Amino acid sequence: MSLLEVCDITKIFGGLVALNEVDFTVEKGSVVGLIGPNGAGKTTVFNCITGNYVPESGDILFRGKSIRGKKPHKVVELGIARTFQAIRLFGKLSVLENVLAGRHCRLKSGLLSSLFHTPAQRREEEAAVERCLEELHFVGLDRVWQEEAGSLAYGSQRLLEIARALASDPELLILDEPAGGMNDQETASLVDVIAAIRERGTTVLLIEHDMRLVMKICEKLVVLEHGNVIAKGDPETVKTNPDVIEAYLGTDDGDDEEY
Amino acid sequence: MSFNARTIRLGSCMALGLVLAVLPFLVNNYWTDVCVSIGLYALLALSLNVILGQAGIFHMGHAAFYAVGAYTTAILNTMFQWPIFWTMPLAGCAAGLVALVVARPIIHLRGDYLLIVTIGIVEIVRIALVNDIFGITGGSNGIFGISRPTVAGFRIVKSFHFYYLVWGMCGLSLLLFHFLWNSRVGRALNYIKADDIAAEGCGVDVSHYKLMAFVLGAFWAGMAGTLYSAKMLTIAPASFNFMESVIIFAVVILSGGSQLGVLVSAFLFIGLPELMRGLTESRMLFFGLAMMLMMVWRPQGLLPPLPRVYTKARAVLDRMAAHDSDAKPSTTQEKTL
Ligand SMILES: Nc1ncnc2c1ncn2[C@@H]1O[C@H](COP(=O)(O)OP(=O)(O)O)[C@@H](O)[C@H]1O
Ligand SMILES: [Mg+2]
């Protein structure tokens, strides 16, 4: 059984068929890349997985169970955490508190124990802070834990979103253009972070425009064009697929990272 | 810098606490009564601050829950001879229950829509009271003959008794809400206020927490209603009109969202017009002008909350650094971007 099975999902906006029977799987422990030209429907696939959209037809199975139509916070609880294409940090809150947001769903303290500041609540808080600092350390942002998230450099903000997602103990991490807006040095350290995430045993599904990055870290690619899957398989095979070359690599020489 | 700001805040809190503790000995009965009134508004505003200030829910109907609490106390006391303080938890629960029922279907609405619906809630409650719903609210005359509260045989009668009762309750609320703010729940409300889609995407059950804030705030307003009934001895629908809601709302907006800010703002809003008693007719003008000046001059409000303190974080980081330099001495510094 695959960790994630996207089964023939179709998503329609008004008259526009954004996804047309999209079908692929993500195996446990792998790093899978979802690629395709702008507007192909990649982010829409992510939004269907995370429960932000409900596909018109088809199903999404996570660990063999359907998660179609579940609310986004439920999906996170089940073990799928995400980052956003357009960074969505809590800009005015501290770096640490952003990561604590990801930890939220693993904590138990309710209204009463919070109001009365019970010893159990305090212990849980301390453990949560420690765990979140570890995640910050993991992506290399522990030294700026007190800063406002919005004041960080763009590349650091992307890493912070990853740390926030990791804090929820995800089994599957989905990253929407994690290298978007990063310079070469930042991209290089992102590659390290993704490799380390994989070493932790977390499965990764990512959307990426930077073909060098994709070829380097993904063992499987799914290529979307106009809402259709036009190819899937290992990077070498996909790279030489004529449809892919025409649809995607043809218009973008593969080393260009403007988008 | 932020240490200084924190010290100043803490100092002001203690100074304010000290002044409030001895105030009834320094002023006459009239001003003690004014301070009781300020305390009631402060209590209401502290509870609205959880909803509006912390969670960012635009709720302009808080007077409705105040009314439900006040009437619950009045009815239980005059019809069933319940002692006032016994009615307090029930007043809170009644207000919380009404909040739960009315908020459930509307809580997902966005700011401006929600604002309009919550204004509707006050009107519905007021009209229900005026029309003597279930024949127990006394119509537009309201309910009179509410008895004095007693604590362990001690009758609370004088102004300064009420003063300590109301401000004691404020102090307790301040403490509990401070704990709440410093918790997982308080943070969840702040995430929702900042960006509800991101909050939901991080695993925060947005509608659950919004509802929780709403019901908690209403519960507190209901308990404030008990104090109001006990102080006034007579209550009528006119005391819980839309204007009351607007004042509570304005106090919270002006405050900037911190609890100290709420207290200061309550004093400014309720106390200043009293100081300028000759001008009571132009109170509205005063409100309008103050709000306008604030918008221009300090759009974030008087005293926004300072960042939370995580005292244990420093120790954890030191431990991690020590552990790091043991494990791999050369690479620790290179990871940071
Ligand atoms: N919420 C929405 N409402 C209407 N159309 C949408 C919505 N989200 C995406 N689309 C459309 O679906 C198509 C795919 O978009 P998207 O998934 O963002 O592409 P990609 O991430 O591959 O660049 C685009 O044509 C886009 O305009
Ligand atoms: Mg996209």
Side-chain angles (χ1 to χ4, degrees):
Chain A
M1 182 179 66
S2 308
L3 183 63
L4 180 77
E5 297 165 67
V6 175
C7 314
D8 290 321
I9 58 169
T10 296
K11 179 72 204 168
I12 300 166
F13 291 116
L16 176 82
V17 180
L19 300 177
N20 181 23
E21 306 199 334
V22 169
D23 191 279
F24 65 91
T25 59
V26 177
E27 304 305 321
K28 192 164 171 48
S30 62
V31 176
V32 175
L34 182 60
I35 63 172
N38 252 328
K42 305 180 296 296
T43 300
T44 304
V45 171
F46 273 22
N47 280 328
C48 287
I49 297 171
T50 57
N52 290 80
Y53 298 155
V54 183
E56 267 74 36
S57 69
D59 204 354
I60 297 162
L61 306 181
F62 182 62
R63 285 195 247 128
K65 290 213 189 74
S66 175
I67 55 168
R68 179 178 175 276
K70 289 229 187 302
K71 283 179 136 194
H73 74 89
K74 255 294 178 254
V75 174
V76 179
E77 231 176 273
L78 288 171
I80 304 180
R82 76 172 301 175
T83 66
F84 293 89
Q85 178 174 355
I87 298 174
R88 289 194 96 129
L89 290 168
F90 307 108
K92 289 269 178 261
L93 298 180
S94 74
V95 167
L96 174 64
E97 286 184 328
N98 271 271
V99 185
L100 281 165
R103 195 69 197 151
H104 175 90
C105 66
R106 299 291 170 235
L107 307 179
K108 305 248 156 23
S109 298
L111 180 60
L112 290 181
S113 54
S114 299
L115 268 176
F116 295 106
H117 200 51
T118 61
Q121 187 265 343
R122 265 175 283 171
R123 272 197 301 279
E124 188 185 63
E125 273 287 295
E126 275 170 31
V129 166
E130 176 157 3
R131 170 62 200 273
C132 290
L133 286 169
E134 278 163 12
E135 292 302 348
L136 280 173
H137 184 67
F138 180 76
V139 299
L141 290 175
D142 47 331
R143 285 195 295 182
V144 292
W145 66 282
Q146 280 179 303
E147 312 269 308
E148 269 187 16
S151 72
L152 297 187
Y154 206 70
S156 304
Q157 293 196 16
R158 289 232 178 259
L159 289 176
L160 177 54
E161 263 207 341
I162 293 178
R164 181 173 73 179
L166 284 172
S168 69
D169 290 332
E171 230 178 306
L172 173 65
L173 180 64
I174 65 182
L175 308 172
D176 200 341
E177 302 198 18
M182 280 189 172
N183 63 32
D184 285 353
Q185 192 200 341
E186 289 169 335
T187 307
S189 68
L190 174 70
V191 171
D192 291 344
V193 167
I194 293 175
I197 291 171
R198 176 198 201 143
E199 248 166 63
R200 284 164 64 156
T202 306
T203 310
V204 179
L205 171 63
L206 59 90
I207 292 174
E208 194 42 73
H209 271 288
D210 183 339
M211 288 308 293
R212 275 178 309 178
L213 187 99
V214 167
M215 294 293 165
K216 198 167 356 170
I217 58 178
C218 299
E219 56 215 67
K220 176 178 168 185
L221 294 181
V222 177
V223 189
L224 268 186
E225 193 204 9
H226 297 310
N228 294 289
V229 176
I230 56 169
K232 48 189 170 186
D234 63 273
E236 285 312 310
T237 328
V238 165
K239 208 167 152 186
T240 51
N241 182 317
D243 286 345
V244 175
I245 294 171
E246 193 186 332
Y248 185 64
L249 304 178
T251 59
D252 179 346
D253 69 8
D255 279 305
D256 197 63
E257 42 193 273
E258 287 305 309
Y259 290 99
Chain B
M1 164 67 190
S2 104
F3 171 75
N4 274 340
R6 206 172 292 285
T7 321
I8 293 170
R9 285 259 175 121
L10 201 66
S12 329
C13 273
M14 297 202 312
L16 187 65
L18 234 83
V19 170
L20 286 172
V22 298
L23 201 64
F25 297 103
L26 308 176
V27 298
N28 60 20
N29 260 351
Y30 172 77
W31 284 104
T32 307
D33 270 338
V34 170
C35 287
V36 171
S37 167
I38 293 173
L40 281 171
Y41 277 105
L43 197 53
L44 288 167
L46 286 173
S47 67
L48 180 64
N49 191 39
V50 176
I51 304 172
L52 172 62
Q54 297 303 312
I57 301 168
F58 275 50
H59 164 45
M60 215 189 247
H62 218 43
F65 305 131
Y66 191 35
V68 171
Y71 269 86
T72 304
T73 291
I75 290 165
L76 288 175
N77 179 255
T78 56
M79 295 177 74
F80 304 100
Q81 281 75 47
W82 279 40
I84 294 292
F85 282 118
W86 289 33
T87 69
M88 202 164 183
L90 233 80
C93 289
L97 193 70
V98 171
L100 185 67
V101 170
V102 297
R104 227 201 160 94
I106 59 162
I107 200 77
H108 63 278
L109 292 177
R110 303 209 70 88
D112 36 4
Y113 293 99
L114 191 74
L115 192 76
I116 291 167
V117 180
T118 57
I119 292 171
I121 296 172
V122 195
E123 279 308 287
I124 291 168
V125 168
R126 198 183 58 83
I127 290 166
L129 295 174
V130 168
N131 286 300
D132 200 3
I133 189 169
F134 311 130
I136 52 175
T137 69
S140 49
N141 292 330
I143 299 176
F144 29 94
I146 301 163
S147 61
R148 294 288 187 189
T150 50
V151 192
F154 178 78
R155 282 186 82 221
I156 296 179
V157 185
K158 297 223 165 82
S159 291
F160 81 91
H161 296 160
F162 277 102
Y163 175 92
Y164 285 110
L165 177 62
V166 169
W167 280 102
M169 184 70 187
C170 276
L172 183 67
S173 311
L174 217 71
L175 184 72
L176 296 186
F177 289 155
H178 180 75
F179 287 150
L180 185 73
W181 177 73
N182 247 320
S183 77
R184 162 183 188 256
V185 176
R187 277 194 307 268
L189 300 183
N190 290 173
Y191 300 141
I192 291 167
K193 182 183 184 180
D195 181 345
D196 54 348
I197 293 175
E200 179 84 28
C202 290
V204 177
D205 187 344
V206 170
S207 22
H208 175 76
Y209 278 95
K210 278 181 157 180
L211 210 55
M212 187 190 275
F214 208 79
V215 172
L216 176 70
F219 181 89
W220 233 264
M223 294 199 296
T226 296
L227 298 183
Y228 179 79
S229 278
K231 171 82 175 83
M232 302 312 285
L233 304 180
T234 300
I235 57 170
S239 312
F240 308 100
N241 57 24
F242 173 56
M243 198 52 214
E244 293 303 303
S245 287
V246 174
I247 293 173
I248 306 163
F249 189 88
V251 168
V252 174
I253 295 289
L254 181 80
S255 76
S258 71
Q259 304 212 77
L260 181 62
V262 168
L263 296 192
V264 173
S265 167
F267 269 98
L268 290 180
F269 255 98
I270 319 301
L272 271 190
E274 281 297 330
L275 280 174
M276 311 185 298
R277 255 184 94 68
L279 307 174
T280 26
E281 288 299 303
S282 43
R283 235 170 103 131
M284 286 309 294
L285 199 69
F286 169 78
F287 276 156
L289 208 63
M291 288 306 267
M292 269 169 61
L293 285 177
M294 281 295 296
M295 296 285 178
V296 176
W297 173 63
R298 213 175 154 81
Q300 74 275 38
L302 284 176
L303 294 168
L306 293 175
R308 293 180 181 80
V309 183
Y310 292 92
T311 40
K312 290 280 158 34
R314 187 71 63 192
V316 173
L317 284 167
D318 289 346
R319 192 159 5 113
M320 275 176 1
H323 184 266
D324 253 27
S325 52
D326 284 355
K328 33 179 180 170
S330 60
T331 55
T332 43
Q333 298 307 309
E334 287 158 22
K335 241 185 158 183
T336 314
L337 289 175

